[in-house]
Amino acid sequence: MRFSAPFLSVVATYLAVGVQANPVASPEVNITARTTYFSGLATYYNPNGNYGACGARMQNSDFIVALSPAHYHNGAHCWQHLNVNYESKDIDVTIGDLCAECTTEGIRLSSGAFSALAPLSAEIISVVWNFE
């Protein structure tokens, strides 16, 4: 296949500009359009200094979350962060454990994280969460 010299010149210029360009995020860019949000029930537990499924000791006061097997993916998400929202309150939690009995979209928060959203007496709350 043969290409004309002007065509090759345009392609070369395009590639050179593309390689040198430095993308800069604009404050007007809506990156949440690419984020998947999950709705589910959140419960809480007390890690009490025990090891979580990701291999580290966790305290009740740590902002830790345990994911369902569907999202835990055999530990592939260990130490990543989630944003959890409940009634206009947002918290950042770290994935440190597996919740084998959680529904697919359900999560289990450490008691410290849960109490930042609602009183522990609520026991179960409906949350929206996403991977950060």
Side-chain angles (χ1 to χ4, degrees), residues 42-44 86-87 89 109-125:
T43 58
Y44 74 90
Y86 173 70
E87 292 186 351
K89 294 179 188 172
L109 298 166
S110 62
S111 54
F114 190 97
S115 65
L117 296 173
L120 296 180
S121 60
E123 295 184 7
I124 300 172
I125 57 176

Tab-separated table of all heavy atoms in Angstrom, residues 42-44 86-87 89 109-125:
chain	number	residue	atom	x	y	z
A	42	ALA	N	-24.885	-1.194	54.190
A	42	ALA	CA	-23.647	-1.230	54.967
A	42	ALA	C	-23.975	-1.642	56.390
A	42	ALA	O	-24.936	-1.153	56.990
A	42	ALA	CB	-22.969	0.136	54.957
A	43	THR	N	-23.193	-2.563	56.909
A	43	THR	CA	-23.261	-2.963	58.307
A	43	THR	C	-21.905	-2.634	58.922
A	43	THR	O	-21.031	-2.093	58.242
A	43	THR	CB	-23.551	-4.473	58.432
A	43	THR	OG1	-22.522	-5.201	57.744
A	43	THR	CG2	-24.905	-4.828	57.830
A	44	TYR	N	-21.706	-2.988	60.169
A	44	TYR	CA	-20.397	-2.735	60.778
A	44	TYR	C	-19.928	-3.955	61.557
A	44	TYR	O	-20.702	-4.860	61.875
A	44	TYR	CB	-20.429	-1.496	61.658
A	44	TYR	CG	-21.142	-1.668	62.978
A	44	TYR	CD1	-20.438	-2.085	64.112
A	44	TYR	CD2	-22.496	-1.410	63.101
A	44	TYR	CE1	-21.079	-2.248	65.320
A	44	TYR	CE2	-23.143	-1.566	64.300
A	44	TYR	CZ	-22.430	-1.986	65.416
A	44	TYR	OH	-23.067	-2.147	66.608
A	86	TYR	N	-23.503	8.472	52.762
A	86	TYR	CA	-24.768	8.203	53.446
A	86	TYR	C	-25.352	9.540	53.890
A	86	TYR	O	-24.701	10.289	54.636
A	86	TYR	CB	-24.549	7.297	54.654
A	86	TYR	CG	-25.783	7.104	55.498
A	86	TYR	CD1	-26.860	6.363	55.031
A	86	TYR	CD2	-25.873	7.675	56.762
A	86	TYR	CE1	-27.998	6.187	55.805
A	86	TYR	CE2	-27.003	7.500	57.550
A	86	TYR	CZ	-28.065	6.751	57.058
A	86	TYR	OH	-29.195	6.586	57.817
A	87	GLU	N	-26.534	9.846	53.415
A	87	GLU	CA	-27.239	11.076	53.788
A	87	GLU	C	-26.326	12.304	53.744
A	87	GLU	O	-26.180	13.013	54.732
A	87	GLU	CB	-27.882	10.916	55.166
A	87	GLU	CG	-29.007	9.918	55.177
A	87	GLU	CD	-29.737	9.861	56.506
A	87	GLU	OE1	-29.298	10.470	57.498
A	87	GLU	OE2	-30.772	9.172	56.551
A	89	LYS	N	-23.197	12.589	53.836
A	89	LYS	CA	-21.910	12.442	54.512
A	89	LYS	C	-21.043	11.515	53.667
A	89	LYS	O	-21.515	10.478	53.202
A	89	LYS	CB	-22.076	11.846	55.905
A	89	LYS	CG	-22.820	12.720	56.871
A	89	LYS	CD	-22.946	12.027	58.200
A	89	LYS	CE	-23.857	12.796	59.130
A	89	LYS	NZ	-24.128	12.036	60.355
A	109	LEU	N	-18.396	-2.047	57.219
A	109	LEU	CA	-17.456	-1.024	57.670
A	109	LEU	C	-16.973	-1.340	59.079
A	109	LEU	O	-17.708	-1.932	59.878
A	109	LEU	CB	-18.143	0.342	57.687
A	109	LEU	CG	-18.656	0.857	56.339
A	109	LEU	CD1	-19.596	2.037	56.548
A	109	LEU	CD2	-17.497	1.252	55.451
A	110	SER	N	-15.752	-0.918	59.391
A	110	SER	CA	-15.313	-0.989	60.781
A	110	SER	C	-16.235	-0.083	61.582
A	110	SER	O	-16.846	0.854	61.047
A	110	SER	CB	-13.858	-0.531	60.897
A	110	SER	OG	-13.755	0.827	60.492
A	111	SER	N	-16.345	-0.350	62.871
A	111	SER	CA	-17.259	0.450	63.689
A	111	SER	C	-16.873	1.925	63.681
A	111	SER	O	-17.749	2.798	63.698
A	111	SER	CB	-17.322	-0.097	65.119
A	111	SER	OG	-16.026	-0.188	65.678
A	112	GLY	N	-15.585	2.230	63.593
A	112	GLY	CA	-15.153	3.626	63.521
A	112	GLY	C	-15.634	4.314	62.264
A	112	GLY	O	-16.095	5.466	62.309
A	113	ALA	N	-15.548	3.626	61.139
A	113	ALA	CA	-16.007	4.203	59.870
A	113	ALA	C	-17.523	4.339	59.867
A	113	ALA	O	-18.067	5.361	59.449
A	113	ALA	CB	-15.536	3.343	58.702
A	114	PHE	N	-18.220	3.301	60.331
A	114	PHE	CA	-19.684	3.334	60.350
A	114	PHE	C	-20.185	4.496	61.198
A	114	PHE	O	-21.091	5.234	60.805
A	114	PHE	CB	-20.223	2.003	60.895
A	114	PHE	CG	-21.704	1.828	60.746
A	114	PHE	CD1	-22.230	1.124	59.681
A	114	PHE	CD2	-22.597	2.346	61.690
A	114	PHE	CE1	-23.611	0.941	59.539
A	114	PHE	CE2	-23.964	2.178	61.568
A	114	PHE	CZ	-24.473	1.474	60.487
A	115	SER	N	-19.563	4.685	62.366
A	115	SER	CA	-20.037	5.738	63.271
A	115	SER	C	-19.760	7.141	62.734
A	115	SER	O	-20.360	8.103	63.205
A	115	SER	CB	-19.436	5.565	64.669
A	115	SER	OG	-18.033	5.738	64.629
A	116	ALA	N	-18.893	7.270	61.748
A	116	ALA	CA	-18.701	8.570	61.097
A	116	ALA	C	-19.878	8.902	60.179
A	116	ALA	O	-20.071	10.061	59.815
A	116	ALA	CB	-17.398	8.572	60.299
A	117	LEU	N	-20.653	7.888	59.823
A	117	LEU	CA	-21.823	8.081	58.957
A	117	LEU	C	-23.138	8.079	59.729
A	117	LEU	O	-24.061	8.827	59.403
A	117	LEU	CB	-21.873	6.985	57.887
A	117	LEU	CG	-20.726	6.948	56.890
A	117	LEU	CD1	-20.831	5.708	56.004
A	117	LEU	CD2	-20.719	8.212	56.039
A	118	ALA	N	-23.239	7.205	60.715
A	118	ALA	CA	-24.494	7.031	61.452
A	118	ALA	C	-24.178	6.441	62.825
A	118	ALA	O	-23.118	5.832	63.003
A	118	ALA	CB	-25.425	6.087	60.681
A	119	PRO	N	-25.091	6.569	63.770
A	119	PRO	CA	-24.854	5.933	65.070
A	119	PRO	C	-24.864	4.408	64.915
A	119	PRO	O	-25.578	3.867	64.072
A	119	PRO	CB	-26.026	6.408	65.928
A	119	PRO	CG	-27.045	6.920	64.982
A	119	PRO	CD	-26.339	7.302	63.721
A	120	LEU	N	-24.051	3.735	65.728
A	120	LEU	CA	-23.984	2.276	65.644
A	120	LEU	C	-25.339	1.629	65.894
A	120	LEU	O	-25.613	0.541	65.387
A	120	LEU	CB	-22.944	1.722	66.621
A	120	LEU	CG	-21.494	2.124	66.361
A	120	LEU	CD1	-20.576	1.496	67.403
A	120	LEU	CD2	-21.054	1.743	64.957
A	121	SER	N	-26.207	2.306	66.615
A	121	SER	CA	-27.546	1.765	66.887
A	121	SER	C	-28.369	1.594	65.609
A	121	SER	O	-29.331	0.825	65.593
A	121	SER	CB	-28.292	2.651	67.885
A	121	SER	OG	-28.444	3.965	67.364
A	122	ALA	N	-27.982	2.288	64.529
A	122	ALA	CA	-28.686	2.126	63.245
A	122	ALA	C	-28.465	0.721	62.693
A	122	ALA	O	-29.308	0.186	61.979
A	122	ALA	CB	-28.227	3.171	62.240
A	123	GLU	N	-27.331	0.116	62.964
A	123	GLU	CA	-26.932	-1.236	62.573
A	123	GLU	C	-26.796	-1.464	61.073
A	123	GLU	O	-25.842	-2.066	60.626
A	123	GLU	CB	-27.853	-2.292	63.179
A	123	GLU	CG	-27.784	-2.347	64.674
A	123	GLU	CD	-28.631	-3.449	65.268
A	123	GLU	OE1	-29.195	-4.282	64.515
A	123	GLU	OE2	-28.731	-3.467	66.507
A	124	ILE	N	-27.751	-1.024	60.282
A	124	ILE	CA	-27.710	-1.200	58.817
A	124	ILE	C	-28.153	0.114	58.178
A	124	ILE	O	-29.192	0.659	58.553
A	124	ILE	CB	-28.647	-2.332	58.342
A	124	ILE	CG1	-28.251	-3.657	58.985
A	124	ILE	CG2	-28.627	-2.449	56.824
A	124	ILE	CD1	-29.243	-4.778	58.728
A	125	ILE	N	-27.368	0.566	57.213
A	125	ILE	CA	-27.736	1.802	56.490
A	125	ILE	C	-27.588	1.558	54.994
A	125	ILE	O	-26.829	0.699	54.555
A	125	ILE	CB	-26.877	3.009	56.932
A	125	ILE	CG1	-25.382	2.727	56.745
A	125	ILE	CG2	-27.196	3.399	58.367
A	125	ILE	CD1	-24.472	3.907	57.057
